[in-house]
Amino acid sequence: MSLEPFGARLRRAMDERGPLCVGIDPHASLLAEWGLNDDVAGLERFSRTVVEAVADRVAVLKPQSAFFERFGSRGVAVLEKSVAEARAAGALVVMDAKRGDIGSTMAAYAESFLHKDAPLFSDALTVSPYLGYGSLSPAVALARESGAGLFVLALTSNPEGGEVQHAVRSDGRNVGATMLAHLAAENAGEEPLGSFGAVVGATLGDLSSYDLDINGPLLAPGIGAQGATPADLPRVFGSAVRNVVPNVSRGVLRHGPDAVALRDAAERFAEEIRHTVTSS
């Protein structure tokens, strides 16, 4: 049996817990800051601490798959456990794996993260559409079947992204806008929120030339260490700001390994973002 659609579950989670996504990014320098070794034991301690501290109170947790995969099968086992425990505590899990391929390979990636019986089943998956949006069709189909969602890279905050995302097509529309239009079509008629979202950087400034009202969520990295603040969200996202899922990683994680400090930091961000969104 499939879950209730991701968009509906996300809308409810953001309304109840506040619109915040906390990243789980156990890179070597952060493990060191926590006094942990850069090994599987350190990885497990880090991930378990974050999940236990915040999974019962934030809307979304977003583990970055690469930081687990670098430890091989033992690291992936830690990721599996972290995903299961986060979801059991009530958080939605967005797997940040940015998968993108074609045909049966894309289907296999989708099955890895979006099939309801997969060990790494997540509520949503980040994907790259730059082999053509149609290449994502297997992931779109399985997400619909499973009640999961996707976050498609559209307007990312890294400077290099512009050479692809701002490239202008023969119809005069650039690639980033084209991806947004595809997502709006996927979400047409869905209530209270579609399940197919875009990744749009909170550091990008004025995006008024883009139609961000895709009736789907907008995963917004860049809050905190990358320089954006909750106060920037209405200016960047305009009328779509209520559907923004701001991602904060280091801004919360730097308060570890103290679980209370992690929890307090997450709650402060969630409340500040909630106040900004409702006041705009």
Side-chain angles (χ1 to χ4, degrees):
M1 180 180 295
S2 64
L3 294 168
E4 180 184 16
F6 171 68
R9 293 185 288 123
L10 178 61
R11 175 79 278 157
R12 185 167 58 250
M14 292 198 295
D15 290 346
E16 293 177 355
R17 295 186 171 201
L20 177 66
C21 169
V22 174
I24 306 180
D25 297 351
H27 48 75
S29 62
L30 195 50
L31 292 176
E33 287 180 27
W34 280 37
L36 300 173
N37 292 329
D38 186 24
D39 56 19
V40 173
L43 175 74
E44 186 169 19
R45 172 72 181 278
F46 180 97
S47 302
R48 184 175 66 249
T49 300
V50 176
V51 170
E52 290 178 352
V54 304
D56 64 344
R57 61 198 62 219
V58 301
V60 181
L61 282 174
K62 183 176 70 64
Q64 169 47 259
S65 178
F67 292 122
F68 295 82
E69 291 177 38
R70 68 193 184 99
F71 292 104
S73 61
R74 293 174 66 200
V76 173
V78 173
L79 180 58
E80 291 177 6
K81 185 176 181 180
S82 298
V83 169
E85 291 180 349
R87 298 189 72 241
L92 299 178
V93 172
V94 174
M95 181 62 68
D96 194 357
K98 299 183 179 69
R99 297 301 196 249
D101 216 301
I102 61 172
S104 59
T105 308
M106 188 67 237
Y109 279 139
E111 289 168 4
S112 299
F113 299 104
L114 302 174
H115 191 283
K116 62 182 180 59
D117 296 326
L120 282 169
F121 175 76
S122 302
D123 297 283
L125 171 68
T126 60
V127 291
S128 174
Y130 295 111
L131 288 171
Y133 183 84
S135 67
L136 301 179
S137 293
V140 171
L142 187 54
R144 288 193 187 281
E145 179 182 329
S146 302
L150 298 176
F151 283 100
V152 177
L153 302 179
L155 297 168
T156 58
S157 56
N158 63 304
E160 303 88 347
E163 68 183 48
V164 174
Q165 296 157 23
H166 297 163
V168 178
R169 293 160 29 106
S170 59
D171 62 4
R173 185 166 59 184
N174 72 21
V175 173
T178 300
M179 298 307 157
L180 293 169
H182 281 301
L183 293 167
E186 300 285 5
N187 294 323
E190 296 293 329
E191 295 181 358
L193 188 67
S195 298
F196 298 93
V199 179
V200 179
T203 57
L204 294 178
D206 183 6
L207 293 176
S208 58
S209 61
Y210 289 92
D211 185 0
L212 299 176
D213 287 312
I214 62 170
N215 191 35
L218 302 169
L219 182 63
I223 302 289
Q226 293 184 44
T229 69
D232 294 323
L233 295 174
R235 175 177 57 86
V236 176
F237 294 96
S239 61
V241 70
R242 185 170 178 268
N243 295 334
V244 172
V245 188
N247 177 71
V248 179
S249 295
R250 183 172 288 275
V252 170
L253 300 178
R254 66 182 177 83
H255 293 279
D258 186 324
V260 174
L262 286 166
R263 190 175 302 126
D264 289 347
E267 290 180 342
R268 284 195 303 272
F269 270 110
E271 184 54 37
E272 186 176 358
I273 293 166
R274 188 200 300 270
H275 175 74
T276 299
V277 169
T278 57
S279 301
S280 60

